[in-house]
Amino acid sequence: QVGFGVLFGVLVGYVGGRMIDHFATRGWIEGAARQLSTLAVGVGAFAVAEIVNGNGFVAAFVAGLAFGEAAREHCTGAYDFAEDEGQLLATLTFLFFGAVFAGPALGDLTWPILGFALLALTVMRIVPVAVSLVGSHLSVPTVAYMAWFGPRGLASILFGLFILEEADLPAGDEIFLVVTWTVILSVLLHGLTSVWLSERYGQWYVIHRRSHMPEATAVEEMPTR
């Protein structure tokens, strides 16, 4: 599955990128048509990979890499489009998730499921982040803030659906139920604490800011191709 995903991701992404670059250079497509064509490359890579029993998610990711190499001049516009449309698609995904999966899961909650979901949002998140930041010289409040805000959302839903539909595991339903409750609790806990903790952290930073602090280092915007 991964091999087919990589193969068709490269093929569709590169060919699609070259075609869009060729058409745009000659003025055959522009504006919204060019942006929608970019979206079609990712969707096409996913669809082709799924048809040949490849991994569609891998194909879409690799197609993006190949597209960036083949159509460098159009990456900035594609990024802006993806950012805007990504918010819309994310909202629709959560709407679908709440309507189809969250409701039935309310009646299947058990103590082990609740306990694992809470561990996934706390210990399993906070400890690895704290360990990864050892040596960064960030202050404890900064590490705690970064460690806490690791919401479980789209990625968890997608991989949970993959396990439910493709993996054919004996405990697939139970695993997806755990994923569902982890996402539900993440929406509640991170949603309820986001504004309050952000304000508290902002106030702490204003009071304790020093020029030598890593938190005070200017960060440049990540460049696009």
Side-chain angles (χ1 to χ4, degrees):
Q1 283 192 335
V2 174
F4 279 136
V6 173
L7 174 63
F8 287 99
V10 171
L11 181 63
V12 175
Y14 188 81
V15 173
R18 294 300 298 172
M19 290 177 63
I20 292 174
D21 182 66
H22 179 79
F23 295 155
T25 301
R26 284 156 179 76
W28 295 349
I29 59 172
E30 59 182 16
R34 186 171 62 185
Q35 293 175 333
L36 290 174
S37 299
T38 303
L39 177 63
V41 171
V43 175
F46 183 94
V48 171
E50 288 292 322
I51 290 173
V52 297
N53 293 322
N55 190 304
F57 298 113
V58 172
F61 176 78
V62 174
L65 297 177
F67 176 87
E69 185 65 29
R72 289 178 178 269
E73 295 182 1
H74 307 289
C75 286
T76 301
Y79 174 81
D80 295 336
F81 174 74
E83 188 173 22
D84 294 337
E85 298 306 311
Q87 291 294 329
L88 174 61
L89 294 175
T91 301
L92 292 176
T93 300
F94 276 107
L95 176 64
F96 173 79
F97 174 80
V100 177
F101 298 111
L106 296 177
D108 296 326
L109 179 63
T110 62
W111 286 111
I113 290 176
L114 178 61
F116 187 91
L118 290 173
L119 284 174
L121 295 175
T122 53
V123 177
M124 295 180 188
R125 161 73 187 186
I126 294 174
V127 172
V129 171
V131 171
S132 69
L133 293 175
V134 171
S136 65
H137 306 295
L138 293 171
S139 60
V140 173
T142 299
V143 173
Y145 183 83
M146 295 175 65
W148 169 244
F149 284 110
R152 298 296 187 269
L154 295 178
S156 298
I157 294 172
L158 289 175
F159 286 118
L161 288 173
F162 176 78
I163 290 175
L164 187 65
E165 298 294 332
E166 304 290 342
D168 194 26
L169 297 176
D173 292 338
E174 289 78 6
I175 294 174
F176 187 75
L177 186 59
V178 171
V179 172
T180 299
W181 268 103
T182 302
V183 174
I184 291 174
L185 291 177
S186 176
V187 171
L188 291 174
L189 296 177
H190 292 120
L192 291 173
T193 60
S194 59
V195 174
W196 185 80
L197 284 179
S198 295
E199 290 177 347
R200 300 289 85 73
Y201 179 75
Q203 293 171 358
W204 171 87
Y205 179 76
V206 170
I207 295 173
H208 296 87
R209 184 180 185 276
R210 302 291 185 273
S211 60
H212 65 277
M213 293 173 59
E215 291 91 336
T217 304
V219 178
E220 297 181 359
E221 184 176 353
M222 182 177 294
T224 56
R225 297 194 190 193

